[in-house]
Amino acid sequence: MQTHEIRRRFLDHFERAGHTVVPSASLISQDATVLFTIAGMAPFKPYFLGQSTPPFPRATSVQKCVRTGDIDNVGVTTRHNTFFQMAGNFSFGDYFKAGAIEHAWTLLTSSLADGGYGLDPDRLWVTVYESDDEAERLWQEIAGLPAERIQRRGMADNFWSMGVPGPCGPCSEIYYDRGPEYGIEGGPVADEDRYLEVWNLVFMQDMRGESDGSGKGDFPILGPLPQQNIDTGLGVERLAFLLQGVDNVYETDLLRPIIASMEQLSGKKYGGGDHQADVRFRVIADHSRSGMMLIGDGVTPGNEGRGYVLRRLLRRAVRSARLLGVTEPVMPTLMSIVRDLMSPSYPELATDYERIEKVAATEEKAFLRTIASGSKLFDVAAADLATQHVTTLPGATAFTLHDTQGFPIDLTLEMAAEAGLTVDVAGFERLMKEQKDRARADAKARKGGFADLSEYRRLLDQGATEFTGYSELQTEARIRGLLRDGVPVPAAHEGEEIELVLDRTPLYAESGGQDSDAGTIVGAHGAAEVLDVQKVDRKLVVHRVRITDGEFTTGAQVLAKVDPEWRLGARQAHSGTHVVHAALRQVLGPEALQSGSYNKPGYLRLDFAWDQALSAATRSELEEVANRAVRQDLPVRVLYGSMQEAQAMGAIALFGETYDDTVRIVEIGGPWSVELCGGTHVEHSSQIGPVAITAESSVGSGLRRVEAAVGIEAFHRLVAERTLVSQLASTLKVQPAELPGRIETLLDKLKSAEKELAGLRAAALGNVAGTLAGGAIDVAGVALVAATAPEGTAAGDLRTLASDVRGRLGDRPGVVALFAPAHASVPFAVAVNQGGIARGLAAGELAKAVLPLIEGRGGGKKDLAQGAGTRPDRIPEAIDALRAALLTAAG
């Protein structure tokens, strides 16, 4: 049975059983404590936590998931994947243990003709929590399982929680016996390779407390939940390899074709007895699929967060291909194969393929350049080791190559072997562990319990806040709730900052990149300034206000008013963002998709997928297209429809955003700009006013940012630039049009003067070098020059001067130590010539005699060392110490 069919049967089964089919949420997690969606229940977490009321009593989904905690084990074993699909069914206070068990057993064991998976009931085992007598009884009554195929396990295996205070409960796992060829008898407690877990049923019934840190089951059970819930997870990929009769997930229909393509490119065979080659084949299959799914959901390669994970996945795939002997780019081939395999379930991968492929191919090109630059650094390090007759590359060097150049350790190992070197792997792994420990500590610091949103939920249960701001700037409303730090209060008085919830509001809550509205709320007995407006659960609008007069009480009638000037600027900026986005796609192509934005009155910023800086000509063209759209007075139309209708119109959805069943579509100039958007907009493009591009920059690999001033702010900027040009022209006594030529002439003169000055400085330093070299003294057969450089010698010139003096000492062994005292620092340089090196002298070692006396830091190699201290008064003592160290070393 093909994987797509497994998905379809699961959803059909539960839809027939009265479940609402919920599409997969984005892989970009809405939970700030994790980067990616890591479980099928993640989109439903607010319902389980009681933060919001579920819109349906039961649901089902097949959720895209990515877990990267075991990324280093991917490929090494056949059990680990980064991307996987978790099918689940969920009940929110509806059915409980009996219903969950019946639904699962029916689907697994029903015949193919009846829509089931046709698994042999006699090969199914289950585990239950050690004290869950009810679950064991239900398995016997509903499924007819004999007692010997029901095993009890402790909290570590069969009790579920989110890892923080919140809902928890026992679970029951379903296993399939693959047969004696896969391991020993005895059920899941004896061998989880033979007995493969396919489905986990979580009976969410209790609330847990804070952990005391001693172990997995170290938290108290505070009591039962207000309602009992069901959360289940069936591993689609695991079930696929069972139903397809193969040994593991890498042999299934959605991964084996990727491996086959790499067999053709590399000329090597998967499963041919070369374990390392098999590992690389599996890494390529897993990571290329995960990479495509992440790019499809809007992640772009970067140096931190989600972007770093994606970069690592793509680069590990490219690296593995190179280690298989493939030298040509592989991402275009891999992405096309993954598209064909996954698009039957995720059609957006096909429609958005051009952008996805470009992001992956661009990252591959960047990595190949990294390999080239990393190879140069490796060659320098290897050559330095050779001069020192050392055959082990330090772990710190391997870590630097990995951390700063993205250079994989296995490539370092391979190149080291080719150079006749070994690598201090233990040292490398120690530094990697320290880095991971720091990251883990940071993640732990950010992770905590969930905020108490029960009061917000109570308010939301009274109904969503009605937003009236699309059609009016003033709305009469009733105060539904007053909260101080999330706790309800009956009244609030002048000077207090509180959260205020109305039944209706014209004030826009920050979302979709648009900043929240400014305004006021006025009642019969008080007035307040609106500081911020936010949404809870996308439906409840919460106003952060400062009471400026009188008092507010719950239930009072008020008038909520938007600052009209603020709203005008906000509308201009948000519509301007859409115009700039459309202009980008017109100038650069459809792959220049927005991946984030922010706008407020007078200002907009837009991030978009692109792999190179925009030239001055391109920026001018972008600005021209945007302002022509403004001048054409294009109509701005707002429509409402289903997501399918919006997609048929070509509407662009923002990555990471969540949309309701009915979406709002903003159209500017017909099909020229069509986006899903809940923001406030102008009615005609001419109302946007001028658009002035103010900046363009990189915000990560494959991601650029443009910033622009809009409306009156753009006009002010243009006026400021005009004033600046006028002032420059007046100062230089030329017409504005003549400024470029005049400035170029002045720059040429400045360069000539700087060149002449550099020549004079070099000549002066040369004279000083001759004088210093002539004053060399003999110390144990070594010519020593140890002196203070002339006053005014810059730290940057000190190294040049020391090298020049060293060169003037001739063939005799020589050491030069120069100091350049300043008010609070002592730059220094120590140089040793070839004769001195032959005598066993090293600049870096001699510098160590100087550093303690001047309380400095520094170091270097055999021929040159440099640094700086903080005690200029102790230079004479430092010179004496250097002379003593030289006597010892040379003697």
Side-chain angles (χ1 to χ4, degrees), residues 738-760:
E738 298 170 344
L739 273 176
R742 179 63 168 157
I743 292 173
E744 187 175 352
T745 299
L746 289 174
L747 288 174
D748 288 341
K749 288 182 178 181
L750 181 61
K751 289 177 183 176
S752 297
E754 289 177 342
K755 186 175 182 181
E756 183 178 353
L757 184 61
L760 293 172

Side-chain angles (χ1 to χ4, degrees), residues 338-378:
V338 175
R339 173 200 60 197
D340 294 343
L341 294 172
M342 299 301 295
S343 58
S345 292
Y346 305 100
E348 64 272 15
L349 297 176
T351 56
D352 198 22
Y353 176 71
E354 185 177 354
R355 179 189 67 85
I356 295 171
E357 192 271 340
K358 183 172 182 177
V359 171
T362 298
E363 180 61 21
E364 179 173 28
K365 292 175 185 175
F367 183 45
L368 294 178
R369 289 194 297 269
T370 293
I371 290 178
S373 62
S375 296
K376 291 178 182 177
L377 290 177
F378 175 87

Side-chain angles (χ1 to χ4, degrees), residues 520-549:
T520 57
I521 299 176
V522 180
H525 303 289
E529 173 192 3
V530 176
L531 305 176
D532 189 22
V533 190
Q534 297 291 330
K535 285 184 179 180
V536 174
D537 195 34
R538 298 170 50 236
K539 296 177 182 177
L540 187 72
V541 177
V542 180
H543 308 76
R544 182 82 183 173
V545 304
R546 179 188 297 113
I547 300 177
T548 57
D549 182 54

Side-chain angles (χ1 to χ4, degrees), residues 30 63 164 188 230 321 345 434 443 445 469 484 628 650 696 700 718 788 868:
Q30 300 299 308
Q63 175 62 46
V164 293
I230 288 294
S345 292
E434 290 174 2
R484 185 184 297 115
R628 282 188 177 276
E696 189 268 338
L718 295 173
T788 300

